[in-house]
Amino acid sequence: MHTKNIYIKTWGCQMNEYDSSMIVTLLQKKNKYLFTKSAENADILILNTCSIREKAQEKVFHQLGRWKKLKNNNPQVIIAVGGCVATQEGKEIFKRANYVDIIFGTQTLHRLPNMISEVEKKRKLSIDISFPKLEKFKYSLEPKKKGYTADISIMEGCNKYCSFCVVPYTRGNEISRPCDDVLFEISILAKQGVREINLLGQNVNAYQGPTFNGKICYFSELIRLVAEIDGIDRIRFTTSNPLEFTDDIIEVYQDTPKLASFLHLPVQSGSNKILNLMKRSYTIEDYQSIVKKLIIARPNIQISSDFIVGFPGESEIDFQQTMSFIKNINFDMSFSFIYSNRPGTPASQMEDYLDIKEKKRRLYLLQNLINIQTMLWSRKMFGSVQSILVEGVSDKNIMHLYGRTENNRIVTFEGSPKMIGEFVDVKIEKIHTHSLKGKLF
């Protein structure tokens, strides 16, 4: 049997990366497939797409245009498009790029091996962008350690329908994986040497997983159960929503030391008017209340967030309220973007009066403020001793190792390769905005 090479390109969030790892695992089970790092050497090209940013569709078609040349040279090449853009656009992709062979959705990636086989036999378009609930997880094989940290998807979809967001349309409604399936997957990884777990979900704190005895495991309980697994010494999660950041989750920060003292909690704007237009369903006061409770539960906690600048209707006053809010909360870092008009969302119908020059000005000011705060947080770490999970050898200096602090700073330091995969204490001796250097303590 002729072995075929597969090349996969992934855009987007950690959930997309997780999905791509599932695709790799599923196809590796088939002995006739190997993976290559070169598109030019591939018999099958897979593009796993993201639709969060503006002009996401155009980015997809530009990539497909480059791959078309490869298919012209070899008509037997199979091109598959998956992910959020595939779910959103469906057959429109084939209309614009009729050389595409397969279109699969975020919830049908497990059907890709069969879709590839069908195309190999019949040489006609195969499309499946349906939403079979959690079916893809039933096809996942025994997880394999790729490093000493691992992302674990515990729920998918979103019920919030924020006015700017396409996720509910591309990932479907919220649905949680069974608690025991999640714990089993993490247990296997822990036995293989994984030390840190990052729980994933579009609204991860909305997790409500069924248990073997017909009950519901809520997110706070799941974290505590993960913390009891031998070998797992640090837990993170992303992305959470303030709307469901309930007191029982805050209490976990008080009684579960393995939960990292760092939280990414997207707020999007510091103006209640804009939050209302975004249909975020919480207020700035609600967010501030959560932060106050978190600081009581975990005094050393640091918080990052997401901000959208230039949302339709955002006045200078709204923007200044956001700037004041950032100072008030004292965010450690953020992901911030100019508003992207996403077709099919309610916000796409709103009047947008701001020109791009003003949007860029606001983004610059916001990011500059966050960078100043990030540096101030880093300075506070100077001279401190940090617990670091050693992830590997530094690319810049083979004599140095690297790992991350609880607040996600990369730290480099001299050490033995035998330390890789272990937690070590490092005293911080040099600081940069987003990285640190230290010495074994």
Side-chain angles (χ1 to χ4, degrees), residues 81-93 102-109 111 115 126-132 169-170:
V81 182
C84 293
V85 173
T87 303
Q88 193 173 17
E89 295 296 307
K91 286 186 177 180
E92 292 301 314
I93 292 174
I102 296 170
I103 300 169
F104 64 98
T106 57
Q107 304 302 328
T108 53
L109 60 86
R111 298 175 182 174
M115 295 173 80
S126 178
I127 179 169
D128 189 343
I129 54 172
S130 58
F131 287 91
Y169 311 103
T170 60

Side-chain angles (χ1 to χ4, degrees), residues 313-439:
E314 182 188 77
S315 66
E316 180 63 25
I317 292 174
D318 297 317
F319 176 66
Q320 290 303 326
Q321 286 177 351
T322 297
M323 296 290 279
S324 296
F325 178 72
I326 289 171
K327 293 176 185 176
N328 181 39
I329 298 295
N330 194 17
F331 289 104
D332 182 1
M333 58 185 70
S334 82
F335 297 99
S336 48
F337 309 93
I338 291 174
Y339 165 70
S340 297
N341 185 323
R342 307 309 301 126
T345 61
S348 66
Q349 306 300 315
M350 297 178 183
E351 292 287 346
D352 188 0
Y353 298 106
L354 280 182
D355 61 42
I356 189 63
K357 185 177 179 180
E358 174 60 18
K359 291 178 181 179
K360 288 181 177 179
R361 182 189 76 88
R362 293 182 185 181
L363 181 65
Y364 171 80
L365 292 173
L366 187 148
Q367 291 181 335
N368 187 58
L369 174 59
I370 291 284
N371 285 337
I372 290 171
Q373 293 183 181
T374 301
M375 191 60 186
L376 290 173
W377 276 110
S378 292
R379 286 176 181 170
K380 290 180 181 179
M381 299 176 73
F382 181 79
S384 68
V385 177
Q386 300 288 324
S387 178
I388 308 297
L389 172 57
V390 186
E391 296 182 40
V393 176
S394 171
D395 291 335
K396 296 181 180 179
N397 187 335
I398 60 171
M399 302 302 293
H400 287 182
L401 304 175
Y402 77 93
R404 292 179 186 270
T405 61
E406 283 197 56
N407 62 341
N408 252 342
R409 299 286 199 283
I410 291 286
V411 180
T412 57
F413 55 94
E414 288 188 19
S416 166
K418 293 180 181 178
M419 295 176 177
I420 295 172
E422 301 296 328
F423 280 89
V424 298
D425 288 335
V426 175
K427 185 175 182 179
I428 305 304
E429 296 186 333
K430 191 172 183 180
I431 61 170
H432 303 286
T433 305
H434 296 286
S435 64
L436 309 164
K437 288 188 176 181
K439 185 177 182 180

